[in-house]
Amino acid sequence: MANWDRQYRLRAGVEGSKGFEIGKPDEKTRQAIHINFMVERSDSTTLNTTKIKLWNLNKEQINVLTQSGCQLNLSAGYGASRPIVFKGTVSNVQESLDGADRLIEIEAVDGFAQLSETVVSISYGGKIATAKILQDAAAKLNLPVTYSATAQEILEKSYFSNGYSFVGYAQYVLDDVCNKASLMWSIQNGVLQIRRKNEGVSTAVHKLNKATGLINIPKRVYSSQTANTDTSSDTTADMLYGYEIQYFMNGAIGIGDRVYVESKIVTGMFMVSSITIEGDNLEGNWQCTAQITEVA
């Protein structure tokens, strides 16, 4: 199987208008349009981004990408297994020549359109549940929302006693309400995730070892922050934060997911806090690099 049968599909278009899809290999040559991409995802409120290079698109496809509000969906993997690795809004497109080829460079941001364009105006009197405010904010963003198990428990007991009012961009009401409940939020492939620090939204566990795609040796990562979520005074700097791992392309592993790592230097359960996904369907890397932390 040439090049491990690397496969991708990229769909782009503005809602309500004609878009396009590329990536399906030609029946005769078995090659698809050349793509090179890097996706950066994390559990912070900083929006996930991607940079994509495409060679020799036609003018109609370029015109679609340059339309305001163009949405982009990229899936990648092997053969017919191609999980979504990025979903977001195109923020910048540049065209240039690469020798005799036409090179298109795209930048896109996950949740960019919703957070940059949505102004929230909400007001409640009396005692109001934090969960109600979050649900209403998510509805105005037109984003589905998921909660971790602990986040749901916390929100069931979290209230604003004297009402709540807010007018402004949606991201700030998310900050305000999540801080009230000691929770965190992020947008992952168009889904608003609400969770407690060091807790995943999904209960699924992905096993990573040599047989399932783990490559190289996990590298210890140190940080001045600790993995604990309590308020104890034991916050010694330079504590072990986790590991950096690399594995063959697996878009099914997302932010907040649990991974069970089996290697010579470390074995145990961890949670994914950031991922860099690098791909080139003709040469170079087709892999993920993740930062993982001990499960709380």
Side-chain angles (χ1 to χ4, degrees):
M1 193 168 2
N3 216 10
W4 294 84
D5 196 19
R6 300 179 181 190
Q7 294 247 1
Y8 79 93
R9 299 291 188 271
L10 184 145
R11 299 198 307 271
V14 177
E15 186 175 355
S17 63
K18 184 179 180 180
F20 69 88
E21 177 179 308
I22 59 173
K24 185 177 180 179
D26 181 88
E27 291 184 0
K28 293 182 179 180
T29 66
R30 300 305 303 161
Q31 289 190 347
I33 288 176
H34 186 190
I35 189 173
N36 178 285
F37 62 87
M38 176 180 287
V39 176
E40 294 184 324
R41 301 167 60 183
S42 76
D43 61 4
S44 74
T45 56
T46 301
L47 297 179
N48 299 331
T49 61
T50 187
K51 293 183 178 180
I52 299 172
K53 295 181 180 180
L54 293 166
W55 282 263
N56 298 322
L57 294 182
N58 60 42
K59 280 295 184 181
E60 289 76 14
Q61 292 166 335
I62 296 171
N63 289 339
V64 169
L65 290 168
T66 56
Q67 291 178 18
S68 177
C70 180
Q71 299 296 303
L72 183 148
N73 186 314
L74 175 63
S75 59
Y78 303 90
S81 178
R82 300 183 300 272
I84 295 174
V85 297
F86 185 85
K87 183 178 181 181
T89 306
V90 175
S91 58
N92 187 46
V93 179
Q94 294 186 3
E95 181 178 355
S96 63
L97 290 177
D98 182 18
D101 298 315
R102 177 186 293 147
L103 172 63
I104 302 300
E105 298 181 78
I106 306 163
E107 295 180 6
V109 185
D110 188 357
F112 172 75
Q114 288 87 346
L115 290 184
S116 64
E117 298 174 3
T118 304
V119 174
V120 174
S121 178
I122 51 179
S123 181
Y124 311 87
K127 186 177 181 181
I128 179 67
T130 305
K132 169 64 175 172
I133 302 173
L134 282 174
Q135 286 285 3
D136 289 351
K140 291 181 181 296
L141 285 167
N142 196 29
L143 291 176
V145 56
T146 59
Y147 302 90
S148 68
T150 302
Q152 286 184 318
E153 294 176 4
I154 292 173
L155 288 172
E156 288 174 359
K157 304 173 184 178
S158 178
Y159 294 86
F160 284 82
S161 299
N162 299 311
Y164 182 83
S165 297
F166 180 89
V167 177
Y169 286 110
Q171 66 188 88
Y172 300 117
V173 72
L174 295 177
D175 288 341
D176 192 26
V177 176
C178 284
N179 286 339
K180 165 72 173 178
S182 299
L183 299 173
M184 59 190 298
W185 67 271
S186 67
I187 296 177
Q188 304 295 333
N189 287 340
V191 177
L192 177 63
Q193 290 189 358
I194 308 294
R195 60 188 182 85
R196 181 180 156 191
K197 184 179 179 182
N198 291 335
E199 182 188 30
V201 170
S202 172
T203 58
V205 177
H206 304 272
K207 180 180 286 189
L208 280 176
N209 53 35
K210 187 176 180 180
T212 60
L214 186 67
I215 54 179
N216 298 326
I217 298 174
K219 181 173 66 176
R220 286 188 177 185
V221 178
Y222 290 86
S223 172
S224 59
Q225 60 181 306
T226 67
N228 285 331
T229 57
D230 60 27
T231 56
S232 67
S233 59
D234 185 15
T235 55
T236 307
D238 298 325
M239 293 184 68
L240 178 63
Y241 181 68
Y243 290 86
E244 178 181 285
I245 58 173
Q246 291 184 317
Y247 50 95
F248 291 124
M249 180 76 67
N250 187 345
I253 299 176
I255 298 299
D257 285 358
R258 295 189 177 200
V259 293
Y260 186 78
V261 177
E262 295 177 325
S263 72
K264 291 182 178 180
I265 69 166
V266 60
T267 294
M269 189 75 72
F270 297 86
M271 193 197 76
V272 178
S273 59
S274 70
I275 307 173
T276 298
I277 306 173
E278 299 175 274
D280 190 303
N281 65 323
L282 299 185
E283 60 187 6
N285 292 330
W286 195 256
Q287 66 184 41
C288 305
T289 302
Q291 303 283 333
I292 57 174
T293 61
E294 295 179 357
V295 175

